[in-house]
Amino acid sequence: MFDAIAGRYDLLNSFLSFRRDGAWRRFAVSRSGLGPGGLALDVATGTAELARCIARDRGGCRVIGLDFSPEMLARARDKLADPPGGGGIELVMGDALRLPFPDDTFDGVTMGFALRNVASIAGAFGEMARVVKPGGRVVCLELTRPPSRLIRAVYYLYLQRVAPYIGGLISGSREAYAYLPRSILEFPSPEEIVGIMQEAGLQNVETHRLTLGAAAVHVGFKRAGGDEGPTG
């Protein structure tokens, strides 16, 4: 499914989010704690938009972008090869549930708009928590359901009627954009995600709702050896 929509994926993300997706990514990166000389992993990187945001906004930070879709990675490579591209970014093929890296490898781990698509949310957070260094952060940006009943009603109408029609028309894959509303409506609430992250061993989990609650950024800290972890 992701191979089929790779060529129009960035366009539709921007169009269907009313161009808010870029601001959401920048906010997620701002909560990553990454800095110059750091090493980041962007899980399910897709076309590498979040990886590029990390490399651009966290100057000097190196990024590995991992994805299991060959066409998404091909699109990412095209963008990285085209100036200004994305210096300091390496792309690898891999599975979010079986990350091919040793424990405690990365200063920070991110995931954007992909948690709804994994076979096991708990497994994905467990792997991200495993490979991040003690004291590092796991940051997840995902679409969710607004808390306001009125806004939620309008949002559901848009998700179920407008987005699938436009997405199918532009991408040529009606199946992919019929899947979009189902994946959001069946996704755990932000409060449930907090519990899953804690079960995976992440602490002091923060949730930031964005754009009237249409998206959320979750930030979890891996306990530094022997202490109670960050309080930030």
Side-chain angles (χ1 to χ4, degrees), residues 23-53:
W24 296 340
R25 289 189 190 91
R26 289 191 295 273
F27 181 83
V29 170
S30 76
R31 298 302 305 150
S32 69
L34 292 163
L39 177 63
L41 172 65
D42 184 38
V43 179
T45 196
T47 62
E49 280 298 293
L50 186 53
R52 293 175 72 200
C53 188

Side-chain angles (χ1 to χ4, degrees), residues 86-197:
I89 299 174
E90 177 186 351
L91 299 174
V92 300
M93 184 173 290
D95 184 348
L97 300 182
R98 297 176 182 83
L99 295 175
F101 308 106
D103 297 357
D104 306 334
T105 297
F106 298 94
D107 298 292
V109 180
T110 61
M111 175 183 272
F113 307 122
L115 194 63
R116 289 173 291 113
N117 306 315
V118 299
S120 170
I121 294 172
F125 276 123
E127 278 292 273
M128 290 188 282
R130 178 182 67 79
V131 301
V132 75
K133 293 177 181 178
R137 307 183 193 186
V138 172
V139 179
C140 179
L141 164 62
E142 191 50 273
L143 299 174
T144 188
R145 300 177 294 278
S148 164
R149 181 177 297 179
L150 177 60
I151 294 171
R152 194 162 59 239
V154 176
Y155 182 65
Y156 285 4
L157 179 64
Y158 175 73
L159 273 181
Q160 294 174 308
R161 300 291 183 182
V162 180
Y165 175 77
I166 295 174
L169 189 66
I170 294 176
S171 72
S173 176
R174 292 187 180 274
E175 177 187 355
Y177 287 90
Y179 163 79
L180 172 67
R182 293 199 307 271
S183 70
I184 296 172
L185 297 179
E186 297 170 4
F187 190 66
S189 68
E191 293 76 18
E192 291 171 315
I193 293 297
V194 169
I196 295 170
M197 293 177 73

Side-chain angles (χ1 to χ4, degrees), residues 205-225:
V205 179
E206 306 171 356
T207 295
H208 304 272
R209 291 182 180 267
L210 308 176
T211 313
L212 303 176
V217 171
H218 302 279
V219 184
F221 299 81
K222 184 169 179 176
R223 175 183 291 191

